[in-house]
Amino acid sequence: MGRFFYVFMISALLLLVGCEKNSKTTGTLSLSFEASYAGLALQFLDGYPATDQYAIQFTKSDFYLSDISVVSAQGEEIILSDIEFINVTDAYSGSHTPIRLSFAGIPTGNYTQLKFGYGVSPYLNNTLPKDYATDHPLSRTSHYWDQWNSYIFSKLEG
């Protein structure tokens, strides 16, 4: 019995040493997107001069951002999100509130780069909307083109 007790105590001490409290602090990174045309806040359905004779009106704008990450001064890359959907149309319907993405739990430190892809990464583009829960950015069937077996990376309509 005594031998079992000592083995148990040594195991428990090793477990406690291995579970040392993480002293790293973390923070939040917020990205803000604002839509503009010719330096003015974008207003859907307003006419903007495109040529001397024609104006352009925007009715829809949205896009995907993929592989969002930050790179530390030491070169360590921290992935924040594999995919995000930015819906300018919904955000700017009746207001000019910037679109914000927030990422929590990022270790504090010096970061030299913010990286992201415009559109859907090749890996995720090989999936289907049915592969995702309804609240996932890639669950939108309106942004998947069956004939091309591809997501629609961006929509700009006017």
Side-chain angles (χ1 to χ4, degrees):
M1 176 88 172
R3 187 171 169 192
F4 174 76
F5 178 75
Y6 286 117
V7 170
F8 174 77
M9 289 302 293
I10 290 172
S11 297
L13 286 174
L14 288 175
L15 181 63
L16 289 174
V17 170
C19 293
E20 184 177 320
K21 184 178 177 182
N22 185 352
S23 62
K24 284 190 173 184
T25 57
T26 61
T28 300
L29 171 68
S30 293
L31 302 177
S32 178
F33 298 87
E34 295 185 47
S36 64
Y37 184 88
L40 301 172
L42 182 66
Q43 182 65 43
F44 286 97
L45 299 177
D46 278 2
Y48 295 95
T51 67
D52 289 339
Q53 296 177 325
Y54 299 101
I56 186 170
Q57 288 182 332
F58 297 99
T59 59
K60 181 181 190 77
S61 178
D62 56 46
F63 56 92
Y64 284 103
L65 293 179
S66 59
D67 300 326
I68 302 169
S69 65
V70 290
V71 180
S72 72
Q74 296 76 29
E76 178 187 3
E77 187 169 347
I78 298 172
I79 303 294
L80 305 177
S81 176
D82 59 350
I83 193 78
E84 294 291 336
F85 183 72
I86 309 297
N87 191 336
V88 179
T89 310
D90 286 353
Y92 275 61
S93 295
S95 73
H96 291 105
T97 305
I99 300 160
R100 297 200 193 290
L101 295 178
S102 292
F103 305 99
I106 302 168
T108 56
N110 294 323
Y111 294 93
T112 58
Q113 294 180 47
L114 169 66
K115 295 170 60 175
F116 56 87
Y118 185 79
V120 181
S121 66
Y123 170 76
L124 292 174
N125 200 35
N126 284 323
T127 63
L128 298 170
K130 68 178 183 169
D131 297 334
Y132 301 99
T134 57
D135 61 344
H136 191 277
L138 293 176
S139 68
R140 290 174 171 78
T141 56
S142 63
H143 284 71
Y144 189 81
W145 197 342
D146 286 323
Q147 293 83 355
W148 281 19
N149 296 317
S150 177
Y151 284 90
I152 300 168
F153 294 180
S154 174
K155 287 187 178 183
L156 180 61
E157 298 175 4

